[in-house]
Amino acid sequence: MLILVTGGVGFIGSHIVDEALRGGHGVRVLDSLRADVHPGDAAPGTPEGVELIRGDVRDPSAVADALRGVDLVCHQAAKVGLGVSLADAPDYTDSNLTGTAVLLAAMAAGEVRRLVLASSMVVYGEGAYLGPDGHVRPPARREDDLRRGRFEPQDASGRPLRPVLVGEDDQLDPRNVYAASKLGQEHLTAAWARATGGRAALLRYHNVLGAGMPQGTPYAGVASLFRSSLERGEPPRVFEDGRQRRDFVDARDVATANLAAAAWTGSEPDGTVRAFNIGSGVVHTIGELASRLSAALGGPPPVVTGEYRLGDVRHITADSSRARAELDWTPQHPFETAVADFALAPLRAPAAG
């Protein structure tokens, strides 16, 4: 099988390329090598035997060239992160939505009917909770509460809630521009599948960490930000009270999930789009991540600052049992191993943007 990996020089994309090669697949990469992802003085490339097409996924001619003879597309190319301000909105929309639309139009024209899409847990917004009256999705937290250190969501009557796992069929509630763009990618994919009879797996990644993470950018994941602080000899700065619940998953496991999704057949008819949560399945806190990284690197312990960012969600962890059952996929790197490996793994040099 010949697989096109868009964004295949990037953090997760490069892991997928390596895993596809290990599986004996042919691999082609389409990557724009944009300056806010890749440092200008580096020369990123691909492993031997992988064709690299330097081009933007928003460029119809580059995409058409990349799709020649392809059996399946693994679409990783996107502007990532939660955004720094609404000034990021046009770039998120253009990069993620226009890029996906151009890719899907070219796939339709070229009769490429199989897609694995990199989506994200952010499409759920705030996680699911149990309250006195059953399941509830709380509204966005108020700045007045955050200022007072009241970080836990409450129901409309101010009663406490207990976080629970989110399933793929639960309500979707994107709460920032990046999240809206990822959900938009899912909707575009569904429209493509209905129109063409194509089949797509939507992989909703949780907090991914691993070798090759970007550093030195406000768009990087929290694990990279913590490690960058430690390498400067500074303690990781943990926002709120550090008890925010997340699911940290190793990039190597995300790569195997993509290849499992590439092999997915299922019993559903053509035109099917199926979402899968991709996480370790084990809940940890951001404070735990910071403490383990500090210990692994022999650095100063984390500082819990009480700071907050408007728009951040408190708890988001999802049930990944569908991926295990239907994709026959099991993550192989538990939290302790993933963090220990990440602490010593090479990262990407700081980029321009």
Side-chain angles (χ1 to χ4, degrees):
M1 178 166 58
L2 177 58
I3 300 174
L4 172 65
V5 182
T6 70
V9 182
F11 165 42
I12 296 175
S14 61
H15 284 275
I16 294 169
V17 168
D18 291 342
E19 186 63 29
L21 291 174
R22 279 191 288 270
H25 300 291
V27 182
R28 182 181 296 146
V29 166
L30 174 66
D31 201 303
S32 66
L33 304 180
R34 54 186 289 170
D36 60 349
V37 178
H38 304 284
D41 59 350
T46 54
E48 183 178 352
V50 174
E51 179 186 5
L52 170 62
I53 297 177
R54 183 166 184 169
D56 197 302
V57 75
R58 294 167 292 186
D59 178 355
S61 62
V63 173
D65 184 32
L67 284 171
R68 290 177 292 103
V70 162
D71 299 296
L72 177 140
V73 176
C74 191
H75 183 32
Q76 307 295 311
K79 182 177 176 69
V80 300
L82 299 183
V84 177
S85 75
L86 274 177
D88 292 317
D91 193 13
Y92 276 114
T93 301
D94 190 31
S95 299
N96 298 355
L97 294 181
T98 301
T100 300
V102 169
L103 173 66
L104 293 172
M107 289 176 64
E111 298 187 350
V112 179
R113 297 290 184 259
R114 296 177 64 193
L115 174 68
V116 179
L117 174 71
S119 187
S120 172
M121 63 167 190
V122 297
V123 300
Y124 297 114
E126 188 66 62
Y129 293 80
L130 278 177
D133 300 323
H135 283 269
V136 62
R137 277 295 181 86
R141 295 178 295 168
R142 300 184 306 170
E143 186 170 12
D144 183 60
D145 286 333
L146 296 173
R147 269 200 309 268
R148 289 169 167 77
R150 299 171 183 164
F151 300 124
E152 293 294 341
Q154 301 173 335
D155 70 8
S157 301
R159 295 176 295 182
L161 302 172
R162 178 168 64 89
V164 294
L165 300 181
V166 180
E168 289 91 345
D169 297 325
D170 282 6
Q171 174 187 349
L172 303 180
D173 182 22
R175 295 193 174 188
N176 54 56
V177 171
Y178 170 62
S181 75
K182 297 308 287 184
L183 183 54
Q185 286 183 306
E186 292 194 9
H187 288 320
L188 286 169
T189 297
W192 163 82
R194 284 192 296 269
T196 65
R199 293 170 61 85
L202 314 176
L203 304 189
R204 294 173 180 162
Y205 301 158
H206 281 255
N207 292 73
V208 185
L209 75 166
M213 277 191 88
Q215 60 176 318
T217 166
Y219 301 94
V222 66
S224 177
L225 297 176
F226 287 165
R227 186 174 142 177
S228 294
S229 294
L230 287 163
E231 290 178 341
R232 293 192 301 268
E234 302 169 0
R237 295 178 60 82
V238 180
F239 280 16
E240 301 187 16
D241 58 4
R243 297 175 184 170
Q244 306 94 308
R245 291 160 53 101
R246 297 291 187 271
D247 184 334
F248 298 99
V249 58
D250 193 289
R252 293 167 291 188
D253 290 325
V254 173
T256 60
N258 273 266
L259 271 294
W264 169 64
T265 54
S267 58
E268 296 83 359
D270 290 345
T272 292
V273 172
R274 188 79 163 148
F276 299 94
N277 290 324
I278 303 300
S280 72
V282 181
V283 174
H284 292 279
T285 67
I286 289 177
E288 285 180 80
L289 173 67
S291 294
R292 283 197 172 269
L293 274 176
S294 293
L297 289 167
V303 173
V304 178
T305 68
E307 296 173 87
Y308 58 86
R309 292 194 312 178
L310 285 177
D312 278 359
V313 298
R314 176 64 174 175
H315 304 298
I316 174 64
T317 53
D319 181 354
S320 300
S321 60
R322 177 186 290 179
R324 289 160 173 73
E326 298 184 19
L327 301 182
D328 193 24
W329 166 79
T330 303
Q332 299 298 312
H333 302 88
F335 177 73
E336 296 77 11
T337 302
V339 175
D341 289 350
F342 170 70
L344 303 176
L347 301 185
R348 289 176 187 267

